[in-house]
Amino acid sequence: MSAPLSAVESTLVENRVFPPSEAFAKAARISGMDGYNALCAEAEKDFEGFWARLARENVVWTKPFT
């Protein structure tokens, strides 16, 4: 018979899922797992280009970065 789990150990085996509300999901910048996976694939294919694109789209630069 195994010993009972400590409070910390029981937290580590937590597996409940709490999905976001519909309103929160609609406002998300990434449309779901397909969108997330597409971003990951883009980053894996061209890491520097991926971050450069995001920097150009989301940061206001006084002069272009190099």
Side-chain angles (χ1 to χ4, degrees):
M1 183 157 114
S2 63
L5 296 176
S6 71
V8 171
E9 289 170 325
S10 66
T11 301
L12 295 175
V13 296
E14 175 66 57
N15 61 3
R16 292 183 294 171
V17 175
F18 300 93
S21 69
E22 186 175 331
F24 187 86
K26 284 182 180 180
R29 298 189 81 185
I30 299 173
S31 60
M33 285 307 295
D34 289 339
Y36 173 77
N37 289 331
L39 286 174
C40 289
E42 180 186 352
E44 287 178 14
K45 182 178 178 183
D46 179 12
F47 184 78
E48 288 185 14
F50 171 78
W51 288 108
R53 179 182 69 78
L54 290 179
R56 287 185 187 99
E57 292 175 357
N58 296 292
V59 177
V60 177
W61 300 90
T62 55
K63 67 177 190 169
F65 65 90
T66 58

